Amino acid sequence: MGVPSRKDRKGIERHPEGLPTEDNCREVQFILEGECTYPDDGSSPFLTYEDFARARKETREVFGDIFDRCFSARVFGVAACRKYGLVPLTPFLKYLQKYAIRARAKYELKDYCQCGGLLNADGIDAYLKDLSVFERQGASETIASVGRRLGVLKFLFYHANRSGVMHVWDVIKGQTMAELQKVRSILDFDDDEAILDSCWFSKQNAKVIHETFVELDRSKTGQLSAAQFLAYNGAKMTGVFVNRIFEQYGAVGQSGKMMMDMDFFSSFIIGWRDRNSPEAVRYLFPIYDIQGQGYITSMEVYTFIKQIVAEWTSCEPTSYYPQIVEDIVNEIFDLVKPAIPGAISKSDMMRVENSGLMFGIMGDVWEFWHHEHREDQQSQEN
């Protein structure tokens, strides 16, 4: 079953009736701040169950039942600290905001779902088109189209199964939807749009990625070779690493070589920017698993680090080149602490908090440089 045609969809309502809005959340925050308990020692305010019940009653008098789910006894029990049975105010306010965002997204996405609460790329594209997020930022038609495609790719990266289908609830509760709703909030309330520049759903992000790809695509074929991608100024990646990216995810072009199209380029940027996420670990791990055995061996780590150090030492010559490579390989295994000595599995990388650092220093000379000079940088900041 496909996505309903645009004329059959209800469209996006700014403030759907019966759903909490951000303005509502601000008013509930005012109610909660009036009912909560402020400790004498100046520590963070909290809600006793009596405070919670009074706030629930007042909220219901003002807004009816739209916040009832947030003020249930079950929610209080989950949110309360086990030791004292009190609900810290700040985390509860964040929960309210998250609830409002998810309720709105759930209501809106129902028109874009297939049977069984499933979403595909076409559904997300139609949703983003109806939201007009990029048009509201003043984006040209070209950049708005690029921005929507980038948005679709990010949702797919984090939520799609192998068939390219997403469960609507996974989409609703995910960080990508939260980022999208943040952009909408800024646009709805005329907040400082400069904040948008760092967001994936910003006009500026779409413009930068599009222009970067076009600049790298010197042959104007809509595809990049490994040699062209090496000129990407967002990093200083080694030839060994870039070749592995293309071997793992590239498609054979007309020249018979592995090539990278705009979708491939954008998906890689998504994974590279968020290297610590489980989804990025799943995406990046096969690149380093050269032999495809399901784990990264010490020899494979050595292969990547050897190239990194070779390029680094060409800028900072040293007579300790072989020892440096071996020391870094040992450092990586010491940090990861794999379940099987000498073999790093995907599960090992999922478990490690700084998996992004491990991936970074094995593929990007600048990431390696920052890691090696981290103490100097910290002393300069202090």
Side-chain angles (χ1 to χ4, degrees):
M1 180 180 177
V3 179
S5 64
R6 189 160 190 169
K7 68 178 182 179
D8 294 328
R9 299 197 298 266
K10 296 178 181 178
I12 303 294
E13 301 175 57
R14 183 170 176 179
H15 299 302
E17 186 177 349
L19 292 178
T21 67
E22 289 198 48
D23 280 339
N24 297 156
C25 288
R26 292 188 180 102
E27 293 180 59
V28 175
Q29 177 177 345
F30 181 77
I31 292 172
L32 288 164
E33 289 173 344
E35 297 293 351
C36 70
T37 299
Y38 293 85
D40 294 334
D41 61 5
S43 57
S44 301
F46 57 82
L47 296 160
T48 65
Y49 190 75
E50 289 74 18
D51 299 335
F52 190 78
R54 288 195 303 272
R56 176 179 58 199
K57 181 180 179 182
E58 189 172 343
T59 299
R60 210 173 200 288
E61 290 172 353
V62 177
F63 299 108
D65 61 359
I66 64 174
F67 283 104
D68 276 8
R69 185 172 180 178
C70 301
F71 284 94
S72 68
R74 178 180 175 277
V75 168
F76 184 89
V78 171
C81 297
R82 292 182 180 179
K83 186 174 181 180
Y84 301 108
L86 305 172
V87 173
L89 179 61
T90 300
F92 186 70
L93 292 175
K94 291 181 180 178
Y95 161 73
L96 279 176
Q97 293 168 352
K98 188 178 292 185
Y99 172 78
I101 289 172
R102 290 179 177 178
R104 180 183 188 181
K106 182 180 180 181
Y107 173 84
E108 293 173 344
L109 284 173
K110 67 180 185 298
D111 281 343
Y112 304 87
C113 287
Q114 299 173 316
C115 292
L118 300 177
L119 279 165
N120 59 18
D122 290 341
I124 290 292
D125 180 71
Y127 176 58
L128 293 174
K129 192 168 187 177
D130 286 351
L131 288 178
S132 301
V133 169
F134 298 96
E135 289 84 354
R136 292 178 63 192
Q137 297 175 57
S140 66
E141 185 176 342
T142 297
I143 296 303
S145 177
V146 170
R148 287 196 301 273
R149 185 57 189 168
L150 293 176
V152 170
L153 290 171
K154 188 160 188 177
F155 277 109
L156 291 171
F157 187 91
Y158 286 101
H159 302 297
N161 59 23
R162 293 181 180 179
S163 301
V165 175
M166 299 161 277
H167 288 278
V168 67
W169 184 241
D170 289 338
V171 171
I172 289 169
K173 67 182 182 180
Q175 188 58 38
T176 306
M177 178 59 75
E179 187 177 7
L180 172 60
Q181 299 299 339
K182 177 183 177 182
V183 171
R184 293 179 66 188
S185 174
I186 292 170
L187 295 172
D188 285 347
F189 294 96
D190 298 320
D191 288 336
D192 183 6
E193 292 192 19
I195 303 172
L196 290 176
D197 290 348
S198 61
C199 294
W200 187 258
F201 294 94
S202 70
K203 172 186 70 174
Q204 182 64 18
N205 180 66
K207 187 170 182 287
V208 168
I209 291 178
H210 174 67
E211 290 179 350
T212 300
F213 184 85
V214 170
E215 183 179 345
L216 292 172
D217 180 21
R218 295 187 298 273
S219 57
K220 306 305 176 188
T221 62
Q223 293 184 318
L224 304 180
S225 66
Q228 290 172 325
F229 181 71
L230 269 171
Y232 173 52
N233 63 9
K236 185 175 174 56
M237 297 175 186
T238 65
V240 169
F241 179 55
V242 169
N243 286 336
R244 278 297 302 144
I245 296 171
F246 277 71
E247 287 171 8
Q248 187 63 39
Y249 292 115
V252 179
Q254 293 180 348
S255 64
K257 297 180 180 179
M258 302 303 282
M259 303 295 284
M260 170 186 281
D261 62 12
M262 180 65 175
D263 280 5
F264 175 6
F265 179 72
S266 304
S267 295
F268 178 79
I269 290 176
I270 293 170
W272 193 248
R273 285 185 182 180
D274 191 20
R275 296 189 298 275
N276 282 316
S277 71
E279 293 81 8
V281 170
R282 282 192 286 269
Y283 178 85
L284 294 170
F285 187 88
I287 296 171
Y288 298 92
D289 178 14
I290 298 174
Q291 300 179 59
Q293 300 179 94
Y295 51 84
I296 305 169
T297 65
S298 56
M299 184 56 67
E300 288 167 334
V301 174
Y302 187 94
T303 299
F304 288 107
I305 294 299
K306 181 181 178 181
Q307 180 90 29
I308 287 283
V309 174
E311 295 196 23
W312 175 55
T313 52
S314 68
C315 302
E316 299 183 14
T318 175
S319 59
Y320 299 103
Y321 170 81
Q323 187 60 47
I324 289 175
V325 176
E326 190 171 331
D327 287 347
I328 296 167
V329 172
N330 290 334
E331 180 183 355
I332 288 174
F333 276 89
D334 287 343
L335 289 170
V336 176
K337 295 180 175 58
I340 302 174
I344 299 173
S345 68
K346 195 180 296 182
S347 298
D348 292 327
M349 293 300 280
M350 292 280 193
R351 174 176 46 79
V352 176
E353 291 183 3
N354 54 357
S355 59
L357 171 64
M358 304 298 102
F359 286 136
I361 64 178
M362 288 193 288
D364 184 347
V365 176
W366 294 135
E367 291 289 336
F368 175 77
W369 187 90
H370 286 302
H371 176 66
E372 288 298 299
H373 292 79
R374 61 192 182 282
E375 294 180 358
D376 295 338
Q377 292 173 320
Q378 289 171 356
S379 62
Q380 289 175 6
E381 292 173 359
N382 296 331

